[in-house]
PDB file of all heavy atoms in Angstrom:
ATOM      1  N   ASN A  81      -6.611  -4.674  -4.032  1.00  0.00           N
ATOM      2  CA  ASN A  81      -5.739  -4.648  -5.210  1.00  0.00           C
ATOM      3  C   ASN A  81      -4.531  -3.746  -5.037  1.00  0.00           C
ATOM      4  O   ASN A  81      -4.533  -2.833  -4.215  1.00  0.00           O
ATOM      5  CB  ASN A  81      -6.568  -4.154  -6.410  1.00  0.00           C
ATOM      6  CG  ASN A  81      -7.226  -2.818  -6.131  1.00  0.00           C
ATOM      7  OD1 ASN A  81      -8.172  -2.733  -5.350  1.00  0.00           O
ATOM      8  ND2 ASN A  81      -6.700  -1.776  -6.730  1.00  0.00           N
ATOM      9  N   LEU A 123      -2.460  22.921  -5.923  1.00  0.00           N
ATOM     10  CA  LEU A 123      -3.848  22.603  -6.262  1.00  0.00           C
ATOM     11  C   LEU A 123      -4.092  21.085  -6.160  1.00  0.00           C
ATOM     12  O   LEU A 123      -5.079  20.636  -5.577  1.00  0.00           O
ATOM     13  CB  LEU A 123      -4.163  23.082  -7.686  1.00  0.00           C
ATOM     14  CG  LEU A 123      -5.582  22.774  -8.171  1.00  0.00           C
ATOM     15  CD1 LEU A 123      -6.602  23.648  -7.449  1.00  0.00           C
ATOM     16  CD2 LEU A 123      -5.696  22.964  -9.687  1.00  0.00           C
ATOM     17  N   THR A 139      -1.288  10.798 -14.611  1.00  0.00           N
ATOM     18  CA  THR A 139      -0.404  11.029 -15.756  1.00  0.00           C
ATOM     19  C   THR A 139      -0.227   9.749 -16.580  1.00  0.00           C
ATOM     20  O   THR A 139       0.096   9.807 -17.763  1.00  0.00           O
ATOM     21  CB  THR A 139       0.975  11.562 -15.314  1.00  0.00           C
ATOM     22  OG1 THR A 139       1.538  10.657 -14.359  1.00  0.00           O
ATOM     23  CG2 THR A 139       0.869  12.952 -14.692  1.00  0.00           C
ATOM     24  N   THR A 326      18.451 -14.121  14.240  1.00  0.00           N
ATOM     25  CA  THR A 326      19.439 -14.875  15.021  1.00  0.00           C
ATOM     26  C   THR A 326      20.773 -14.135  15.061  1.00  0.00           C
ATOM     27  O   THR A 326      21.398 -14.009  16.123  1.00  0.00           O
ATOM     28  CB  THR A 326      19.689 -16.261  14.366  1.00  0.00           C
ATOM     29  OG1 THR A 326      18.493 -16.682  13.741  1.00  0.00           O
ATOM     30  CG2 THR A 326      20.196 -17.265  15.354  1.00  0.00           C
ATOM     31  N   ASP A 333      24.288  -4.663  20.538  1.00  0.00           N
ATOM     32  CA  ASP A 333      23.912  -3.450  19.819  1.00  0.00           C
ATOM     33  C   ASP A 333      24.646  -3.437  18.473  1.00  0.00           C
ATOM     34  O   ASP A 333      25.288  -4.432  18.127  1.00  0.00           O
ATOM     35  CB  ASP A 333      24.271  -2.197  20.640  1.00  0.00           C
ATOM     36  CG  ASP A 333      25.732  -2.197  21.059  1.00  0.00           C
ATOM     37  OD1 ASP A 333      26.566  -2.691  20.277  1.00  0.00           O
ATOM     38  OD2 ASP A 333      26.045  -1.719  22.166  1.00  0.00           O
ATOM     39  N   ALA A 407       8.135  -9.024   7.211  1.00  0.00           N
ATOM     40  CA  ALA A 407       9.200  -8.758   8.171  1.00  0.00           C
ATOM     41  C   ALA A 407       8.666  -8.513   9.593  1.00  0.00           C
ATOM     42  O   ALA A 407       9.456  -8.440  10.538  1.00  0.00           O
ATOM     43  CB  ALA A 407      10.042  -7.573   7.703  1.00  0.00           C
ATOM     44  N   VAL A 425       3.795  -2.218  20.426  1.00  0.00           N
ATOM     45  CA  VAL A 425       3.637  -2.709  19.061  1.00  0.00           C
ATOM     46  C   VAL A 425       2.883  -4.033  19.143  1.00  0.00           C
ATOM     47  O   VAL A 425       3.271  -4.912  19.912  1.00  0.00           O
ATOM     48  CB  VAL A 425       5.025  -2.888  18.399  1.00  0.00           C
ATOM     49  CG1 VAL A 425       4.930  -3.718  17.124  1.00  0.00           C
ATOM     50  CG2 VAL A 425       5.651  -1.530  18.093  1.00  0.00           C
ATOM     51  N   GLU A 426       1.794  -4.138  18.398  1.00  0.00           N
ATOM     52  CA  GLU A 426       0.956  -5.339  18.490  1.00  0.00           C
ATOM     53  C   GLU A 426       0.929  -6.090  17.162  1.00  0.00           C
ATOM     54  O   GLU A 426       0.574  -5.516  16.135  1.00  0.00           O
ATOM     55  CB  GLU A 426      -0.480  -4.947  18.857  1.00  0.00           C
ATOM     56  CG  GLU A 426      -0.599  -4.386  20.249  1.00  0.00           C
ATOM     57  CD  GLU A 426      -2.045  -4.091  20.625  1.00  0.00           C
ATOM     58  OE1 GLU A 426      -2.909  -4.009  19.726  1.00  0.00           O
ATOM     59  OE2 GLU A 426      -2.307  -3.939  21.824  1.00  0.00           O
ATOM     60  N   ARG A 478      17.756   8.148  18.514  1.00  0.00           N
ATOM     61  CA  ARG A 478      17.163   8.681  17.285  1.00  0.00           C
ATOM     62  C   ARG A 478      17.977   9.868  16.767  1.00  0.00           C
ATOM     63  O   ARG A 478      18.057  10.099  15.563  1.00  0.00           O
ATOM     64  CB  ARG A 478      15.693   9.046  17.511  1.00  0.00           C
ATOM     65  CG  ARG A 478      14.876   7.757  17.743  1.00  0.00           C
ATOM     66  CD  ARG A 478      13.409   7.928  17.549  1.00  0.00           C
ATOM     67  NE  ARG A 478      13.085   8.489  16.261  1.00  0.00           N
ATOM     68  CZ  ARG A 478      12.014   9.233  16.034  1.00  0.00           C
ATOM     69  NH1 ARG A 478      11.185   9.489  17.034  1.00  0.00           N
ATOM     70  NH2 ARG A 478      11.783   9.716  14.843  1.00  0.00           N
ATOM     71  N   ARG A 486      21.248  12.442   7.725  1.00  0.00           N
ATOM     72  CA  ARG A 486      21.685  13.719   7.168  1.00  0.00           C
ATOM     73  C   ARG A 486      22.854  13.526   6.197  1.00  0.00           C
ATOM     74  O   ARG A 486      22.980  14.237   5.212  1.00  0.00           O
ATOM     75  CB  ARG A 486      22.080  14.666   8.300  1.00  0.00           C
ATOM     76  CG  ARG A 486      21.571  16.065   8.073  1.00  0.00           C
ATOM     77  CD  ARG A 486      21.942  16.998   9.197  1.00  0.00           C
ATOM     78  NE  ARG A 486      21.066  16.854  10.343  1.00  0.00           N
ATOM     79  CZ  ARG A 486      21.476  16.697  11.604  1.00  0.00           C
ATOM     80  NH1 ARG A 486      22.750  16.624  11.892  1.00  0.00           N
ATOM     81  NH2 ARG A 486      20.612  16.595  12.572  1.00  0.00           N
TER      82      ARG A 486
END
Side-chain angles (χ1 to χ4, degrees):
N81 55 288
L123 179 71
T139 55
T326 329
D333 54 34
V425 166
E426 293 184 343
R478 292 198 54 209
R486 223 179 280 130

